[in-house]
Amino acid sequence: MKKISAWIKGLFNDETGKPSSKRFIGIVAGLMLCVTMYHNSFSDVSVAPADSLVNAVAALAFGCLGLASADKIWGKRGSDSAE
């Protein structure tokens, strides 16, 4: 059980071990998008969210996770010399 909780905690941390707001927002937005799409597959068309709202949440999730990935790949080049 400790391995699972450590793995989940690691999802929300950046490469230095600090909590990452970009990862948190990206993962939460992605999960909510999946839940909404699953729920809407069983509901009537009249209660479905607007397409622009779904696209905005998808862009937020992909953007946040993409920025977190870019930081991990390229890192902050000036931060090592300042410390």
Side-chain angles (χ1 to χ4, degrees):
M1 187 68 175
K2 286 186 178 185
K3 287 183 181 182
I4 294 173
S5 64
W7 181 77
I8 291 173
K9 184 179 177 184
L11 284 176
F12 297 108
N13 292 339
D14 61 6
E15 59 275 356
T16 62
K18 296 178 184 175
S20 172
S21 61
K22 289 180 281 200
R23 287 188 186 192
F24 178 75
I25 297 296
I27 290 171
V28 169
L31 288 174
M32 294 310 295
L33 185 63
C34 290
V35 167
T36 302
M37 294 293 104
Y38 179 77
H39 182 291
N40 286 332
S41 66
F42 298 110
S43 63
D44 193 20
V45 175
S46 63
V47 295
D51 289 339
S52 58
L53 179 62
V54 172
N55 291 336
V57 173
L60 177 67
F62 296 141
C64 287
L65 293 175
L67 288 174
S69 298
D71 284 349
K72 187 173 184 177
I73 293 171
W74 288 289
K76 295 178 181 157
R77 298 179 194 257
S79 65
D80 290 338
S81 61
E83 293 179 8

